[in-house]
Amino acid sequence: VVYVESASSYDSSTINEDIQAILDNAASGSKIIFKGTSYNDLQLIINKQLNIISNVGTTITTGSSGSAVFLFNGVDASGSSISGFTIVTSTDSGILVDGADDVTISDVQISSANGTALTVKESDNTTIEDCTVTDSITGIYVYNSSNTQLDKNTITNSQNGVSIENSNDISINGG
């Protein structure tokens, strides 16, 4: 188990780089537990299989432009999971799965005022379950992917609930 300490444990000007280094230095397959309840301006790239967990309802707020708060990037991130977070962003995706297979996103609350809360792009066998999406342009966007399962998610106050493009074998099940 690898721990990410509370935000006050890091210099505010380097917190993103410090937490990114923790993820980069963790062994593939590691469980990463966020201990803090609040972080600002994080944009983290996951390039290996990691299980990222908050047991304290960690809130990550970002207003910065750029990439997703959590980017599961490429085939090496396949098999990853994330759960227990609240993500509030005003830019891009809260969570982006890009080219990673077998990723599970569960028990996450996301809003993306000017973007898409959850994006699945060119990925197979992604599961999004028990998530709440609010106040986003698009709640969940699935593009060029297959075998995506959307189970027991709630999407409110979003212009587009679920958008599916060039994808197959998508399953949507209510609660």
Side-chain angles (χ1 to χ4, degrees):
V1 176
V2 177
Y3 294 99
V4 174
E5 299 299 328
S6 65
S8 62
S9 300
Y10 306 98
D11 182 315
S12 62
S13 66
T14 61
I15 188 169
N16 194 83
E17 293 81 5
D18 294 341
I19 295 173
Q20 184 67 58
I22 291 168
L23 300 179
D24 291 345
N25 291 324
S28 183
S30 291
K31 182 184 290 187
I32 309 292
I33 297 179
F34 277 67
K35 294 170 77 174
T37 57
S38 181
Y39 300 85
N40 291 315
D41 293 322
L42 296 184
Q43 294 177 324
L44 303 170
I45 301 170
I46 292 81
N47 288 317
K48 64 181 84 169
Q49 180 192 357
L50 295 175
N51 300 309
I52 302 171
I53 301 166
S54 169
N55 295 318
V56 294
T58 301
T59 298
I60 299 174
T61 304
T62 183
S64 302
S65 62
S67 71
V69 175
F70 287 100
L71 166 59
F72 293 88
N73 190 39
V75 68
D76 290 339
S78 293
S80 292
S81 65
I82 185 169
S83 65
F85 288 86
T86 297
I87 298 170
V88 180
T89 181
S90 59
T91 60
D92 204 9
S93 290
I95 297 175
L96 169 58
V97 179
D98 188 357
D101 299 333
D102 304 302
V103 173
T104 299
I105 301 164
S106 61
D107 190 31
V108 175
Q109 298 177 33
I110 304 178
S111 71
S112 180
N114 297 308
T116 302
L118 290 160
T119 300
V120 178
K121 178 181 168 190
E122 299 176 355
S123 301
D124 298 330
N125 305 314
T126 302
T127 300
I128 301 171
E129 59 189 1
D130 299 314
C131 293
T132 302
V133 175
T134 58
D135 305 315
S136 301
I137 301 294
T138 300
I140 299 171
Y141 178 53
V142 180
Y143 173 75
N144 228 17
S145 298
S146 65
N147 298 315
T148 302
Q149 299 219 355
L150 309 176
D151 295 323
K152 297 180 273 178
N153 299 295
T154 302
I155 301 171
T156 58
N157 297 328
S158 298
Q159 291 179 19
N160 305 299
V162 177
S163 180
I164 300 168
E165 187 176 340
N166 297 325
S167 298
N168 58 55
D169 296 322
I170 309 302
S171 170
I172 302 174
N173 299 303

